[in-house]
Amino acid sequence: MDPITIGLWVTGAMFVMVVIGMRVAFAAAMAGFVGLVWLRWNGFGYNPEQFWKALTISVKIAGQVPHSKVSSQSLSLIPTFILIGYLAYYANLTKALFEAAKRWFAWVPGGLAVSTVFATAGFAAVSGASVATAAVFARIAIPEMQAVGYNKKFAAGVVAAGGTLASLIPPSAILVIYAIIVEQDVGKLLLAGFIPGAFSAVIYASLIIGIAVIWKNVGPPVTGFTWRQRFAALPPALPIVAVVVIIIFFVYNPFGEAWGTPTEGGAVGAFIVFLMALYRGMRWAELKDALIETAKLTVMIFTIIWGVLIYVRFLGFADLPGAFADWITSLHMSPMLILVCILLAYAVLGMFMDAIGMLLLTLPVVYPAVMALNGGEGVSAAESTFGMSGTMCAIWFGILVVKMAEFCLITPPIGLNCFVVAGVRPDLSVQDVFKGVAPFFLADAVTIALLVAFPAIVLYLPSLA
Amino acid sequence: MAGASAVLEDSSLLSRLDRALLPLERLMALISGLFVFSLMFLAAWSVGGRKFFGAPLMGYVDLIEMAMPFIAILGVSYVQREGGHIRMDILVGNLHGRLLWLFETISILLILLLMLALTWGAWDHFDRSFDCARPLCSRDSTIDISLPLWPAKLVVPVAFSVLCLRLLLQLVGYGRALVLGLDRPAAVPLNLSVEEQARAEAIHLEGHD
Amino acid sequence: ALEWNVSVWGKRRAFTEHIEKLAELVAQKTNGDFTMNVSYGGLSKNTDNLDGISIGAFEMAQFCAGYHPDKNRLITVLELPFLGVEDLKQEVAVSDAVYAHPAVADEMAQWNARLLMTSPMPQYNLVGTGEPRDTLDKMSGMRVRATGGLGEAFEKVGAVPTSVTSSEAYQAMESGVVDTVAFAQHAHLSFGTINEADWWTANLNPGTVNCPVVVNIDAYDALTDAQREALDSSVPEAIAFYLENYGKLLQKWDAVLAEKNVQKVEISEDELAKFRELAAAPISREWIDSMNAQGLPGQELYDLVETTLADAKAKGM
Ligand code: NA
Ligand code: NA
């Protein structure tokens, strides 16, 4: 049998295992392992005497992957980013941020909602995970908005949408995962997330102001903060600024040489937040909790990573990605249309799947195809389809798929952020939150369209570094 | 998301075995967390040493690569116990009774077979790097400061063996529920709806503020 | 028809051209009966290539001795600093001699591997920024990206070897994590360190890494006579092609230096002599003692390198 046919069967079987509820990490590893055995036994002409040999070799190939693939310096960013988020929570940074944002921005129409968006964007700078951000702000921001007469569904929608900013604005675990899978520079990808993340926040804020101006009763402004109060709210939020500055300067220093590698930047950022949490009274019991929670989330992510990489190892032997890339480039369709179709396919898949699992399962096949569509890894901007070099195309596509994955966190039926917000606020049903978040679909659609139409929004910062 | 634990306990042998294995799994997860914590100090040392003392940390990359398997793999069984590994529950979330236990049993059986194979493969990977006829028993070492790699490789089959024990318990738990037609079996993570899971996560955060 | 899987890493570059040529020649000579599928990173991580050969995951692979000295203790003799190798032909000559030594073949056989050919690399000269580090005094305190025996050599003169991966080398240099990077020319080009450089040492020649190509012994033994003949006879041709191709790259090198405005730094013979005295002898001594203590013919191999090199030089190679 043709290796590519084996690749297709195994990939189909993997999706069946995922659908019947097998844990994604193990379904992928199982598919990869069985695929390796099948491929090799196929190579031995299905000789029964050589089955044992095919099995042993495959066991050994698969058994290398967990140690071999997790032992990487750049992957160490993931646990560090997760730890920062948990420590920031114990350092009380969320409240400080919301308070500062409120005093500075609440005076505009829809002011508290705008403040919430900017505070979630700020918290995104210390949090690598969207769902955690939504959960935290659901508790702080929704009651305040309700107290001044906001529509509660709308308030919930603002928090659910604001939470999605955490994965674009660095630190972002999902961007690191993307960089690892596609073997691109982690620093450049993190840098690339900044402007689209801030851009999304500004589009959310504009949407809120627009809604508040048209429907006066949705979100009344809150005024009366003095300049003195405004400045007094800044110092407690300062560690966030410190972390942002550190991570940026470790990746790219506009004034001179960068301070170090992204790996060091992430860890030094965590160290600063740790000191802050100590100062705020964190003790061993809380630290132990934070460490165990960090370990759980880290292990969950890494299990998918090595599981999927066993499948990827099998793909390497079957050369399925090469075949898929050949097929995509042979289609008689405009490359831009193909790209849009790929993004739409992610939107559909994302309705049913977790973002990390979705990216890990699909990228090994889809990414080489997108690169081939642009003209290959080493293509120059002038000769490429999308008008950007291979490296830049990798970054641009990465930001696009991560934004798609984040979009799926607020879309029904499985918009995880909406479930979390409803879970925190017993007075809100999941349907209420989905109704409240609906206007933000529009905002996200506009953002994605602009990122596709104007790649410079994504590529400006990384092209400097 | 990880975090939503719903494992029932009773006086059965299975439940007692479940609770006996749990402290070991929790300890392994804590060690994983402590290694993450140490990464932070390692970086602070590396950057500080370089910037302020002109003495960078030798073998920084080697040390990180040694630490990563402890961070990434040691807690794998704890997460399985809590039902924290990601899955798509759109189908199983709507199943009840024997049909649900049938699907769960099939899943766990497949995972157990997979993990037995991977434990063997990971042990072999360790074994190739280990030879006590040599200095430090090392037959594979890191690039810069030549640390022996076998301890980092040994972590994997050890963590996987504990996971195999856990899977065995869960297989018995689900199998028992399938045969006896139980409603809420002990010693297996029960399927929370997404709403329940989100609420559990929210309650978890509630504790600290 | 037989297809071999070949595991290499990175992108196709001067460093892998002999493997591509070998695949081409073998297919030609056997009329397509024996082909090779060269995979760039799809089959294994580079530091696991020897493991992959050992378990039979693929039939041929390339790796570098310095990645994992404990896996291949004996061939690290070729990575000792200041052996005095002047060009790629000499590098091929000493590698071939070492690969042919029974103790070396035996150590590789423990990985089920048979040494087929080397991937000769030029000397790892430094690029750096700012004032050229052209004396030992100026090298003191210098943060240098150099691994293995080279790193040890720089340490002996007071420099600080700093570990960053080759793909992070450019950023490490840009960010001041390291002051200088030691690479072969093709790597200075492909990893972009030359773009950041102000100067390049033309004659420091501190040493290089050794990266053999190996085949799985069972797979080799299973070849038909015609296939084995095609493979063996293609090795010298593949190496000749590699040398010619790398030669072109070296010719381009001076033009690249001029274009990027990189200064070519010549270090005085006095300073070089001091460096060799401080680094070469003690590190070689340590290496020989450590091998002898493990019951391996360390002294014998070191002498073999010296005599082969002297021979090669005498023959005007
Ligand atoms: Na973030
Ligand atoms: Na969704």
Side-chain angles (χ1 to χ4, degrees), chain A residues 347-353 404-417 419 434:
Chain A
V348 173
L349 199 56
M351 287 181 176
F352 306 100
M353 272 192 84
M404 277 327 287
E406 292 307 289
F407 177 55
C408 296
L409 286 176
I410 56 170
T411 57
I414 317 277
L416 204 53
N417 269 14
F419 284 114
F434 275 128

mmCIF file with all atom_site columns, all heavy atoms in Angstrom, chain A residues 347-353 404-417 419 434, ligand 2:
data_model
loop_
_atom_site.group_PDB
_atom_site.id
_atom_site.type_symbol
_atom_site.label_atom_id
_atom_site.label_alt_id
_atom_site.label_comp_id
_atom_site.label_asym_id
_atom_site.label_entity_id
_atom_site.label_seq_id
_atom_site.pdbx_PDB_ins_code
_atom_site.Cartn_x
_atom_site.Cartn_y
_atom_site.Cartn_z
_atom_site.occupancy
_atom_site.B_iso_or_equiv
_atom_site.pdbx_formal_charge
_atom_site.auth_seq_id
_atom_site.auth_comp_id
_atom_site.auth_asym_id
_atom_site.auth_atom_id
_atom_site.pdbx_PDB_model_num
ATOM   1   N  N   . ALA A 1 347 ? -12.415 28.032 11.784 1.00 0.00 ? 347 ALA A N   1
ATOM   2   C  CA  . ALA A 1 347 ? -13.551 28.565 12.531 1.00 0.00 ? 347 ALA A CA  1
ATOM   3   C  C   . ALA A 1 347 ? -14.554 27.455 12.829 1.00 0.00 ? 347 ALA A C   1
ATOM   4   O  O   . ALA A 1 347 ? -15.084 27.357 13.941 1.00 0.00 ? 347 ALA A O   1
ATOM   5   C  CB  . ALA A 1 347 ? -14.214 29.694 11.746 1.00 0.00 ? 347 ALA A CB  1
ATOM   6   N  N   . VAL A 1 348 ? -14.782 26.577 11.852 1.00 0.00 ? 348 VAL A N   1
ATOM   7   C  CA  . VAL A 1 348 ? -15.744 25.484 12.053 1.00 0.00 ? 348 VAL A CA  1
ATOM   8   C  C   . VAL A 1 348 ? -15.189 24.477 13.054 1.00 0.00 ? 348 VAL A C   1
ATOM   9   O  O   . VAL A 1 348 ? -15.855 24.115 14.033 1.00 0.00 ? 348 VAL A O   1
ATOM   10  C  CB  . VAL A 1 348 ? -16.048 24.789 10.708 1.00 0.00 ? 348 VAL A CB  1
ATOM   11  C  CG1 . VAL A 1 348 ? -16.915 23.559 10.942 1.00 0.00 ? 348 VAL A CG1 1
ATOM   12  C  CG2 . VAL A 1 348 ? -16.720 25.766 9.762  1.00 0.00 ? 348 VAL A CG2 1
ATOM   13  N  N   . LEU A 1 349 ? -13.927 24.059 12.836 1.00 0.00 ? 349 LEU A N   1
ATOM   14  C  CA  . LEU A 1 349 ? -13.311 23.083 13.731 1.00 0.00 ? 349 LEU A CA  1
ATOM   15  C  C   . LEU A 1 349 ? -13.268 23.630 15.162 1.00 0.00 ? 349 LEU A C   1
ATOM   16  O  O   . LEU A 1 349 ? -13.521 22.912 16.130 1.00 0.00 ? 349 LEU A O   1
ATOM   17  C  CB  . LEU A 1 349 ? -11.900 22.798 13.226 1.00 0.00 ? 349 LEU A CB  1
ATOM   18  C  CG  . LEU A 1 349 ? -11.226 21.522 13.694 1.00 0.00 ? 349 LEU A CG  1
ATOM   19  C  CD1 . LEU A 1 349 ? -12.092 20.321 13.362 1.00 0.00 ? 349 LEU A CD1 1
ATOM   20  C  CD2 . LEU A 1 349 ? -9.866  21.380 13.018 1.00 0.00 ? 349 LEU A CD2 1
ATOM   21  N  N   . GLY A 1 350 ? -12.986 24.942 15.269 1.00 0.00 ? 350 GLY A N   1
ATOM   22  C  CA  . GLY A 1 350 ? -12.857 25.566 16.576 1.00 0.00 ? 350 GLY A CA  1
ATOM   23  C  C   . GLY A 1 350 ? -14.161 25.595 17.359 1.00 0.00 ? 350 GLY A C   1
ATOM   24  O  O   . GLY A 1 350 ? -14.151 25.744 18.577 1.00 0.00 ? 350 GLY A O   1
ATOM   25  N  N   . MET A 1 351 ? -15.272 25.457 16.658 1.00 0.00 ? 351 MET A N   1
ATOM   26  C  CA  . MET A 1 351 ? -16.544 25.408 17.376 1.00 0.00 ? 351 MET A CA  1
ATOM   27  C  C   . MET A 1 351 ? -16.597 24.183 18.281 1.00 0.00 ? 351 MET A C   1
ATOM   28  O  O   . MET A 1 351 ? -17.275 24.176 19.281 1.00 0.00 ? 351 MET A O   1
ATOM   29  C  CB  . MET A 1 351 ? -17.701 25.337 16.376 1.00 0.00 ? 351 MET A CB  1
ATOM   30  C  CG  . MET A 1 351 ? -17.938 26.636 15.664 1.00 0.00 ? 351 MET A CG  1
ATOM   31  S  SD  . MET A 1 351 ? -19.327 26.427 14.541 1.00 0.00 ? 351 MET A SD  1
ATOM   32  C  CE  . MET A 1 351 ? -19.480 28.098 13.945 1.00 0.00 ? 351 MET A CE  1
ATOM   33  N  N   . PHE A 1 352 ? -15.885 23.137 17.879 1.00 0.00 ? 352 PHE A N   1
ATOM   34  C  CA  . PHE A 1 352 ? -16.019 21.873 18.610 1.00 0.00 ? 352 PHE A CA  1
ATOM   35  C  C   . PHE A 1 352 ? -14.771 21.484 19.377 1.00 0.00 ? 352 PHE A C   1
ATOM   36  O  O   . PHE A 1 352 ? -14.777 20.534 20.132 1.00 0.00 ? 352 PHE A O   1
ATOM   37  C  CB  . PHE A 1 352 ? -16.359 20.750 17.626 1.00 0.00 ? 352 PHE A CB  1
ATOM   38  C  CG  . PHE A 1 352 ? -17.566 21.068 16.805 1.00 0.00 ? 352 PHE A CG  1
ATOM   39  C  CD1 . PHE A 1 352 ? -17.435 21.529 15.512 1.00 0.00 ? 352 PHE A CD1 1
ATOM   40  C  CD2 . PHE A 1 352 ? -18.832 20.965 17.364 1.00 0.00 ? 352 PHE A CD2 1
ATOM   41  C  CE1 . PHE A 1 352 ? -18.551 21.844 14.766 1.00 0.00 ? 352 PHE A CE1 1
ATOM   42  C  CE2 . PHE A 1 352 ? -19.955 21.283 16.626 1.00 0.00 ? 352 PHE A CE2 1
ATOM   43  C  CZ  . PHE A 1 352 ? -19.817 21.733 15.316 1.00 0.00 ? 352 PHE A CZ  1
ATOM   44  N  N   . MET A 1 353 ? -13.664 22.167 19.127 1.00 0.00 ? 353 MET A N   1
ATOM   45  C  CA  . MET A 1 353 ? -12.407 21.702 19.715 1.00 0.00 ? 353 MET A CA  1
ATOM   46  C  C   . MET A 1 353 ? -11.700 22.782 20.500 1.00 0.00 ? 353 MET A C   1
ATOM   47  O  O   . MET A 1 353 ? -11.856 23.961 20.233 1.00 0.00 ? 353 MET A O   1
ATOM   48  C  CB  . MET A 1 353 ? -11.472 21.213 18.608 1.00 0.00 ? 353 MET A CB  1
ATOM   49  C  CG  . MET A 1 353 ? -11.663 19.767 18.269 1.00 0.00 ? 353 MET A CG  1
ATOM   50  S  SD  . MET A 1 353 ? -10.327 19.224 17.237 1.00 0.00 ? 353 MET A SD  1
ATOM   51  C  CE  . MET A 1 353 ? -9.135  18.856 18.508 1.00 0.00 ? 353 MET A CE  1
ATOM   52  N  N   . MET A 1 404 ? -7.977  33.194 15.051 1.00 0.00 ? 404 MET A N   1
ATOM   53  C  CA  . MET A 1 404 ? -9.137  32.331 14.751 1.00 0.00 ? 404 MET A CA  1
ATOM   54  C  C   . MET A 1 404 ? -9.472  31.474 15.962 1.00 0.00 ? 404 MET A C   1
ATOM   55  O  O   . MET A 1 404 ? -10.637 31.331 16.337 1.00 0.00 ? 404 MET A O   1
ATOM   56  C  CB  . MET A 1 404 ? -8.816  31.372 13.595 1.00 0.00 ? 404 MET A CB  1
ATOM   57  C  CG  . MET A 1 404 ? -8.954  31.856 12.185 1.00 0.00 ? 404 MET A CG  1
ATOM   58  S  SD  . MET A 1 404 ? -10.225 33.024 11.828 1.00 0.00 ? 404 MET A SD  1
ATOM   59  C  CE  . MET A 1 404 ? -11.674 32.024 11.922 1.00 0.00 ? 404 MET A CE  1
ATOM   60  N  N   . ALA A 1 405 ? -8.434  30.872 16.544 1.00 0.00 ? 405 ALA A N   1
ATOM   61  C  CA  . ALA A 1 405 ? -8.644  29.987 17.683 1.00 0.00 ? 405 ALA A CA  1
ATOM   62  C  C   . ALA A 1 405 ? -9.268  30.750 18.847 1.00 0.00 ? 405 ALA A C   1
ATOM   63  O  O   . ALA A 1 405 ? -10.136 30.242 19.557 1.00 0.00 ? 405 ALA A O   1
ATOM   64  C  CB  . ALA A 1 405 ? -7.319  29.362 18.103 1.00 0.00 ? 405 ALA A CB  1
ATOM   65  N  N   . GLU A 1 406 ? -8.861  32.011 19.019 1.00 0.00 ? 406 GLU A N   1
ATOM   66  C  CA  . GLU A 1 406 ? -9.409  32.837 20.098 1.00 0.00 ? 406 GLU A CA  1
ATOM   67  C  C   . GLU A 1 406 ? -10.857 33.195 19.818 1.00 0.00 ? 406 GLU A C   1
ATOM   68  O  O   . GLU A 1 406 ? -11.698 33.221 20.715 1.00 0.00 ? 406 GLU A O   1
ATOM   69  C  CB  . GLU A 1 406 ? -8.582  34.122 20.234 1.00 0.00 ? 406 GLU A CB  1
ATOM   70  C  CG  . GLU A 1 406 ? -7.187  33.869 20.737 1.00 0.00 ? 406 GLU A CG  1
ATOM   71  C  CD  . GLU A 1 406 ? -7.209  33.062 21.999 1.00 0.00 ? 406 GLU A CD  1
ATOM   72  O  OE1 . GLU A 1 406 ? -7.616  33.607 23.041 1.00 0.00 ? 406 GLU A OE1 1
ATOM   73  O  OE2 . GLU A 1 406 ? -6.854  31.870 21.957 1.00 0.00 ? 406 GLU A OE2 1
ATOM   74  N  N   . PHE A 1 407 ? -11.141 33.467 18.539 1.00 0.00 ? 407 PHE A N   1
ATOM   75  C  CA  . PHE A 1 407 ? -12.503 33.763 18.114 1.00 0.00 ? 407 PHE A CA  1
ATOM   76  C  C   . PHE A 1 407 ? -13.424 32.615 18.527 1.00 0.00 ? 407 PHE A C   1
ATOM   77  O  O   . PHE A 1 407 ? -14.540 32.819 19.010 1.00 0.00 ? 407 PHE A O   1
ATOM   78  C  CB  . PHE A 1 407 ? -12.484 33.956 16.594 1.00 0.00 ? 407 PHE A CB  1
ATOM   79  C  CG  . PHE A 1 407 ? -13.818 34.190 15.967 1.00 0.00 ? 407 PHE A CG  1
ATOM   80  C  CD1 . PHE A 1 407 ? -14.650 35.215 16.406 1.00 0.00 ? 407 PHE A CD1 1
ATOM   81  C  CD2 . PHE A 1 407 ? -14.239 33.397 14.897 1.00 0.00 ? 407 PHE A CD2 1
ATOM   82  C  CE1 . PHE A 1 407 ? -15.875 35.430 15.805 1.00 0.00 ? 407 PHE A CE1 1
ATOM   83  C  CE2 . PHE A 1 407 ? -15.465 33.617 14.297 1.00 0.00 ? 407 PHE A CE2 1
ATOM   84  C  CZ  . PHE A 1 407 ? -16.294 34.631 14.750 1.00 0.00 ? 407 PHE A CZ  1
ATOM   85  N  N   . CYS A 1 408 ? -12.919 31.381 18.382 1.00 0.00 ? 408 CYS A N   1
ATOM   86  C  CA  . CYS A 1 408 ? -13.733 30.212 18.703 1.00 0.00 ? 408 CYS A CA  1
ATOM   87  C  C   . CYS A 1 408 ? -14.030 30.091 20.201 1.00 0.00 ? 408 CYS A C   1
ATOM   88  O  O   . CYS A 1 408 ? -14.920 29.351 20.594 1.00 0.00 ? 408 CYS A O   1
ATOM   89  C  CB  . CYS A 1 408 ? -13.040 28.948 18.227 1.00 0.00 ? 408 CYS A CB  1
ATOM   90  S  SG  . CYS A 1 408 ? -12.871 28.932 16.448 1.00 0.00 ? 408 CYS A SG  1
ATOM   91  N  N   . LEU A 1 409 ? -13.284 30.806 21.028 1.00 0.00 ? 409 LEU A N   1
ATOM   92  C  CA  . LEU A 1 409 ? -13.560 30.764 22.469 1.00 0.00 ? 409 LEU A CA  1
ATOM   93  C  C   . LEU A 1 409 ? -14.855 31.472 22.822 1.00 0.00 ? 409 LEU A C   1
ATOM   94  O  O   . LEU A 1 409 ? -15.377 31.314 23.921 1.00 0.00 ? 409 LEU A O   1
ATOM   95  C  CB  . LEU A 1 409 ? -12.405 31.421 23.248 1.00 0.00 ? 409 LEU A CB  1
ATOM   96  C  CG  . LEU A 1 409 ? -11.121 30.614 23.352 1.00 0.00 ? 409 LEU A CG  1
ATOM   97  C  CD1 . LEU A 1 409 ? -10.054 31.428 24.067 1.00 0.00 ? 409 LEU A CD1 1
ATOM   98  C  CD2 . LEU A 1 409 ? -11.373 29.315 24.096 1.00 0.00 ? 409 LEU A CD2 1
ATOM   99  N  N   . ILE A 1 410 ? -15.377 32.314 21.898 1.00 0.00 ? 410 ILE A N   1
ATOM   100 C  CA  . ILE A 1 410 ? -16.629 33.017 22.222 1.00 0.00 ? 410 ILE A CA  1
ATOM   101 C  C   . ILE A 1 410 ? -17.774 32.624 21.292 1.00 0.00 ? 410 ILE A C   1
ATOM   102 O  O   . ILE A 1 410 ? -18.848 33.190 21.374 1.00 0.00 ? 410 ILE A O   1
ATOM   103 C  CB  . ILE A 1 410 ? -16.437 34.561 22.212 1.00 0.00 ? 410 ILE A CB  1
ATOM   104 C  CG1 . ILE A 1 410 ? -15.873 35.045 20.886 1.00 0.00 ? 410 ILE A CG1 1
ATOM   105 C  CG2 . ILE A 1 410 ? -15.559 34.989 23.377 1.00 0.00 ? 410 ILE A CG2 1
ATOM   106 C  CD1 . ILE A 1 410 ? -15.888 36.564 20.747 1.00 0.00 ? 410 ILE A CD1 1
ATOM   107 N  N   . THR A 1 411 ? -17.525 31.645 20.387 1.00 0.00 ? 411 THR A N   1
ATOM   108 C  CA  . THR A 1 411 ? -18.622 31.250 19.505 1.00 0.00 ? 411 THR A CA  1
ATOM   109 C  C   . THR A 1 411 ? -19.343 30.021 20.044 1.00 0.00 ? 411 THR A C   1
ATOM   110 O  O   . THR A 1 411 ? -18.706 29.141 20.615 1.00 0.00 ? 411 THR A O   1
ATOM   111 C  CB  . THR A 1 411 ? -18.106 30.905 18.092 1.00 0.00 ? 411 THR A CB  1
ATOM   112 O  OG1 . THR A 1 411 ? -17.128 29.887 18.191 1.00 0.00 ? 411 THR A OG1 1
ATOM   113 C  CG2 . THR A 1 411 ? -17.537 32.121 17.399 1.00 0.00 ? 411 THR A CG2 1
ATOM   114 N  N   . PRO A 1 412 ? -20.662 29.962 19.882 1.00 0.00 ? 412 PRO A N   1
ATOM   115 C  CA  . PRO A 1 412 ? -21.374 28.739 20.240 1.00 0.00 ? 412 PRO A CA  1
ATOM   116 C  C   . PRO A 1 412 ? -21.001 27.619 19.265 1.00 0.00 ? 412 PRO A C   1
ATOM   117 O  O   . PRO A 1 412 ? -20.545 27.924 18.177 1.00 0.00 ? 412 PRO A O   1
ATOM   118 C  CB  . PRO A 1 412 ? -22.844 29.127 20.075 1.00 0.00 ? 412 PRO A CB  1
ATOM   119 C  CG  . PRO A 1 412 ? -22.871 30.380 19.266 1.00 0.00 ? 412 PRO A CG  1
ATOM   120 C  CD  . PRO A 1 412 ? -21.536 30.997 19.332 1.00 0.00 ? 412 PRO A CD  1
ATOM   121 N  N   . PRO A 1 413 ? -21.156 26.364 19.583 1.00 0.00 ? 413 PRO A N   1
ATOM   122 C  CA  . PRO A 1 413 ? -21.752 25.864 20.833 1.00 0.00 ? 413 PRO A CA  1
ATOM   123 C  C   . PRO A 1 413 ? -20.751 25.691 21.979 1.00 0.00 ? 413 PRO A C   1
ATOM   124 O  O   . PRO A 1 413 ? -21.164 25.576 23.113 1.00 0.00 ? 413 PRO A O   1
ATOM   125 C  CB  . PRO A 1 413 ? -22.282 24.495 20.406 1.00 0.00 ? 413 PRO A CB  1
ATOM   126 C  CG  . PRO A 1 413 ? -21.363 24.056 19.322 1.00 0.00 ? 413 PRO A CG  1
ATOM   127 C  CD  . PRO A 1 413 ? -20.929 25.302 18.611 1.00 0.00 ? 413 PRO A CD  1
ATOM   128 N  N   . ILE A 1 414 ? -19.445 25.630 21.705 1.00 0.00 ? 414 ILE A N   1
ATOM   129 C  CA  . ILE A 1 414 ? -18.490 25.331 22.787 1.00 0.00 ? 414 ILE A CA  1
ATOM   130 C  C   . ILE A 1 414 ? -17.590 26.546 23.024 1.00 0.00 ? 414 ILE A C   1
ATOM   131 O  O   . ILE A 1 414 ? -16.378 26.412 22.958 1.00 0.00 ? 414 ILE A O   1
ATOM   132 C  CB  . ILE A 1 414 ? -17.625 24.094 22.449 1.00 0.00 ? 414 ILE A CB  1
ATOM   133 C  CG1 . ILE A 1 414 ? -18.431 22.962 21.836 1.00 0.00 ? 414 ILE A CG1 1
ATOM   134 C  CG2 . ILE A 1 414 ? -16.870 23.601 23.674 1.00 0.00 ? 414 ILE A CG2 1
ATOM   135 C  CD1 . ILE A 1 414 ? -19.143 22.088 22.818 1.00 0.00 ? 414 ILE A CD1 1
ATOM   136 N  N   . GLY A 1 415 ? -18.138 27.726 23.193 1.00 0.00 ? 415 GLY A N   1
ATOM   137 C  CA  . GLY A 1 415 ? -17.279 28.871 23.469 1.00 0.00 ? 415 GLY A CA  1
ATOM   138 C  C   . GLY A 1 415 ? -16.859 28.839 24.926 1.00 0.00 ? 415 GLY A C   1
ATOM   139 O  O   . GLY A 1 415 ? -17.588 29.262 25.820 1.00 0.00 ? 415 GLY A O   1
ATOM   140 N  N   . LEU A 1 416 ? -15.663 28.339 25.164 1.00 0.00 ? 416 LEU A N   1
ATOM   141 C  CA  . LEU A 1 416 ? -15.250 28.051 26.539 1.00 0.00 ? 416 LEU A CA  1
ATOM   142 C  C   . LEU A 1 416 ? -15.277 29.294 27.430 1.00 0.00 ? 416 LEU A C   1
ATOM   143 O  O   . LEU A 1 416 ? -15.684 29.225 28.583 1.00 0.00 ? 416 LEU A O   1
ATOM   144 C  CB  . LEU A 1 416 ? -13.855 27.425 26.520 1.00 0.00 ? 416 LEU A CB  1
ATOM   145 C  CG  . LEU A 1 416 ? -13.508 26.567 27.721 1.00 0.00 ? 416 LEU A CG  1
ATOM   146 C  CD1 . LEU A 1 416 ? -14.570 25.502 27.944 1.00 0.00 ? 416 LEU A CD1 1
ATOM   147 C  CD2 . LEU A 1 416 ? -12.150 25.923 27.538 1.00 0.00 ? 416 LEU A CD2 1
ATOM   148 N  N   . ASN A 1 417 ? -14.850 30.440 26.882 1.00 0.00 ? 417 ASN A N   1
ATOM   149 C  CA  . ASN A 1 417 ? -14.860 31.665 27.690 1.00 0.00 ? 417 ASN A CA  1
ATOM   150 C  C   . ASN A 1 417 ? -16.267 31.981 28.182 1.00 0.00 ? 417 ASN A C   1
ATOM   151 O  O   . ASN A 1 417 ? -16.450 32.430 29.317 1.00 0.00 ? 417 ASN A O   1
ATOM   152 C  CB  . ASN A 1 417 ? -14.333 32.845 26.864 1.00 0.00 ? 417 ASN A CB  1
ATOM   153 C  CG  . ASN A 1 417 ? -12.834 33.011 27.027 1.00 0.00 ? 417 ASN A CG  1
ATOM   154 O  OD1 . ASN A 1 417 ? -12.165 32.119 27.526 1.00 0.00 ? 417 ASN A OD1 1
ATOM   155 N  ND2 . ASN A 1 417 ? -12.326 34.154 26.608 1.00 0.00 ? 417 ASN A ND2 1
ATOM   156 N  N   . PHE A 1 419 ? -18.702 29.860 28.727 1.00 0.00 ? 419 PHE A N   1
ATOM   157 C  CA  . PHE A 1 419 ? -19.058 28.917 29.789 1.00 0.00 ? 419 PHE A CA  1
ATOM   158 C  C   . PHE A 1 419 ? -18.428 29.327 31.114 1.00 0.00 ? 419 PHE A C   1
ATOM   159 O  O   . PHE A 1 419 ? -19.054 29.231 32.170 1.00 0.00 ? 419 PHE A O   1
ATOM   160 C  CB  . PHE A 1 419 ? -18.583 27.507 29.425 1.00 0.00 ? 419 PHE A CB  1
ATOM   161 C  CG  . PHE A 1 419 ? -19.441 26.846 28.404 1.00 0.00 ? 419 PHE A CG  1
ATOM   162 C  CD1 . PHE A 1 419 ? -18.968 26.541 27.147 1.00 0.00 ? 419 PHE A CD1 1
ATOM   163 C  CD2 . PHE A 1 419 ? -20.766 26.530 28.704 1.00 0.00 ? 419 PHE A CD2 1
ATOM   164 C  CE1 . PHE A 1 419 ? -19.768 25.935 26.205 1.00 0.00 ? 419 PHE A CE1 1
ATOM   165 C  CE2 . PHE A 1 419 ? -21.583 25.928 27.771 1.00 0.00 ? 419 PHE A CE2 1
ATOM   166 C  CZ  . PHE A 1 419 ? -21.083 25.626 26.509 1.00 0.00 ? 419 PHE A CZ  1
ATOM   167 N  N   . PHE A 1 434 ? -23.743 34.201 25.578 1.00 0.00 ? 434 PHE A N   1
ATOM   168 C  CA  . PHE A 1 434 ? -23.609 34.135 24.124 1.00 0.00 ? 434 PHE A CA  1
ATOM   169 C  C   . PHE A 1 434 ? -24.324 35.310 23.467 1.00 0.00 ? 434 PHE A C   1
ATOM   170 O  O   . PHE A 1 434 ? -23.842 35.883 22.492 1.00 0.00 ? 434 PHE A O   1
ATOM   171 C  CB  . PHE A 1 434 ? -24.160 32.805 23.583 1.00 0.00 ? 434 PHE A CB  1
ATOM   172 C  CG  . PHE A 1 434 ? -23.143 31.693 23.643 1.00 0.00 ? 434 PHE A CG  1
ATOM   173 C  CD1 . PHE A 1 434 ? -23.449 30.473 24.247 1.00 0.00 ? 434 PHE A CD1 1
ATOM   174 C  CD2 . PHE A 1 434 ? -21.882 31.853 23.092 1.00 0.00 ? 434 PHE A CD2 1
ATOM   175 C  CE1 . PHE A 1 434 ? -22.517 29.456 24.309 1.00 0.00 ? 434 PHE A CE1 1
ATOM   176 C  CE2 . PHE A 1 434 ? -20.939 30.835 23.148 1.00 0.00 ? 434 PHE A CE2 1
ATOM   177 C  CZ  . PHE A 1 434 ? -21.264 29.639 23.761 1.00 0.00 ? 434 PHE A CZ  1
HETATM 178 NA NA  . NA  D 2 .   ? -16.478 27.793 20.004 1.00 0.00 ? 2   NA  D NA  1
#
